[in-house]
Amino acid sequence: TGWRGVLIALERRAFPMAQFSTRVDPFDVAKDEVEASLRKIQFMHKEWKRLLETENTAESQRFKDLHAEITGELQLLSYDLQEVDNSILTVEQNRDKFQLTDLQIQGRRGFVTKSRAVHKAVQDDLAGARTSAKLDEDRRKSLLSHRHREEQAQQARSAHDASAYLEQEQFLQRQLINQQEDELEELSRATQRVGLVAQTLNGEIEQQQRMLDELNDDVDQQLDRMGVIMKGVGQLLKTSNKWQITGLLGLVLLFVIEVILIFNT
C-alpha cells in the first residue's frame, strides 16, 4: 500500500495545478481530497493504536498491513497538502479572477496548517520512540516465543524418540522372554522325554536282570544236574552194565536238550 500512495501521487503530479482553469477555484477539489484522506487516516490510526496495544506487532499480519497502508496514505496526504498549497498560491496569483479576501486565504492556510498537524501527529506516532520500543519488544518476545516453541518441539521430538526407543526395547525384551519361555518349555518336554526313555530303559534293564537271574538259576540247576550226571558217569565208568550205560547216555542227552532250551528261551 505504500507503493500505492507513491503511484497515485505520481499520477496527480502528472497533472499539475496549472491545468485547472483559473476560473475554477482548485482549493475546493483539493480540500475534499485532503478531508477524505484525513478521515481515512484517522480511522486507520485508531485501529492501528488498538493493535499496537493489544497484539504482538511482530506476529500480527493485520498490524503490519495497516502500518504499511497508513504510511502510504500519509505520503499521499503529503502530496494532497502540497496541492492545496499550490491552489492557495494560484488564487493569490489570480486575485482578480478569484474574489477572495485576505481573511479567506488565511482560513485556507489555517486548514493546511491543521491538516499538516494531523499528518505530523500520526507520522510521529508511527515513528515515535514509544512505538519503536513496542515494536522492538514485540520482536524480542516473538523471537523468544519462536525459540520456546522450537525448544518445545525439540523436547516433544526427544520425548517421542525416547518413547519409541523404550517401546522398541520393551518389544525386544518381550520377544527375548517369549523365546526363553519357548526354550524352557522345549527343554521341559525334552526332559520329560528323557525321563520316559530312562524309565523305559530301567524297565528293560530290570527285565534283563530278572532274565539273567532266572538264567543263572537255570544254569545252577543244570550244573547241579550235571554234577549228578558226572557222578553217574564216574560210576558208569567203573561198571560194564549196558542198562546203566544207556540210562546215563539218556540223562546226558536230556541235559543237552535242556541247556539248548534254556539258551533259546
Side-chain angles (χ1 to χ4, degrees):
T1 54
W3 285 105
R4 171 178 169 273
V6 174
L7 293 175
I8 294 175
L10 290 175
E11 290 176 357
R12 291 189 175 183
R13 292 186 66 183
F15 301 94
M17 294 297 298
Q19 71 175 337
F20 290 109
S21 172
T22 56
R23 296 180 181 180
V24 178
D25 190 347
F27 177 80
D28 295 332
V29 178
K31 181 182 178 182
D32 292 340
E33 293 181 357
V34 169
E35 288 177 339
S37 296
L38 286 173
R39 287 192 298 270
K40 183 177 182 181
I41 290 173
Q42 288 174 329
F43 176 79
M44 291 189 299
H45 183 229
K46 183 178 179 180
E47 176 66 9
W48 177 90
K49 288 193 295 184
R50 186 189 69 81
L51 295 175
L52 179 68
E53 296 295 335
T54 60
E55 297 190 11
N56 187 312
T57 57
E59 299 178 354
S60 174
Q61 188 60 44
R62 171 58 181 159
F63 177 85
K64 294 178 182 179
D65 294 341
L66 193 59
H67 187 90
E69 188 173 358
I70 293 174
T71 300
E73 291 295 335
L74 287 174
Q75 190 171 9
L76 177 60
L77 178 60
S78 179
Y79 286 114
D80 289 340
L81 291 174
Q82 184 61 45
E83 290 181 358
V84 173
D85 280 336
N86 293 336
S87 71
I88 295 174
L89 181 61
T90 300
V91 170
E92 289 180 334
Q93 292 174 350
N94 297 274
R95 298 293 290 270
D96 56 337
K97 302 296 182 180
F98 302 97
Q99 303 297 322
L100 296 177
T101 64
D102 292 338
L103 184 61
Q104 289 175 316
I105 294 177
Q106 184 178 358
R108 293 185 178 188
R109 290 195 180 279
F111 171 78
V112 174
T113 300
K114 291 181 180 179
S115 298
R116 289 191 186 279
V118 175
H119 180 283
K120 184 176 184 304
V122 176
Q123 183 69 48
D124 291 346
D125 201 9
L126 265 63
R130 175 175 170 274
T131 300
S132 298
K134 178 63 165 56
L135 296 179
D136 292 339
E137 178 66 15
D138 287 347
R139 280 192 291 268
R140 187 183 66 82
K141 289 181 179 179
S142 178
L143 180 60
L144 292 176
S145 177
H146 179 69
R147 289 179 179 176
H148 180 65
R149 287 193 296 268
E150 286 185 347
E151 291 176 355
Q152 287 183 328
Q154 181 62 34
Q155 291 176 355
R157 288 192 295 268
S158 299
H160 179 270
D161 293 341
S163 177
Y165 175 77
L166 181 60
E167 290 179 358
Q168 180 67 18
E169 287 297 317
Q170 291 176 343
F171 174 75
L172 294 177
Q173 289 179 358
R174 287 194 297 270
Q175 278 191 327
L176 181 60
I177 292 173
N178 293 334
Q179 182 179 356
Q180 291 176 345
E181 290 178 349
D182 292 341
E183 292 176 354
L184 289 174
E185 185 177 355
E186 180 62 26
L187 180 60
S188 176
R189 288 195 294 267
T191 303
Q192 292 176 356
R193 288 194 297 270
V194 171
L196 292 175
V197 172
Q199 291 177 357
T200 302
L201 290 176
N202 185 57
E204 292 180 356
I205 291 173
E206 290 178 352
Q207 183 178 1
Q208 293 295 331
Q209 185 64 40
R210 286 194 299 272
M211 293 176 64
L212 288 174
D213 291 340
E214 292 176 356
L215 178 62
N216 289 333
D217 294 339
D218 292 340
V219 170
D220 290 338
Q221 292 177 1
Q222 295 304 322
L223 288 176
D224 292 339
R225 291 180 182 179
M226 188 64 175
V228 174
I229 293 173
M230 291 303 295
K231 290 180 180 180
V233 171
Q235 294 177 357
L236 182 61
L237 292 175
K238 297 179 181 180
T239 183
S240 58
N241 190 331
K242 294 181 179 179
W243 292 108
Q244 290 180 349
I245 295 173
T246 302
L248 182 60
L249 291 176
L251 291 174
V252 171
L253 179 61
L254 179 61
F255 174 76
V256 172
I257 292 172
E258 288 181 353
V259 171
I260 292 172
L261 289 175
I262 290 173
F263 288 99
N264 286 334
T265 58

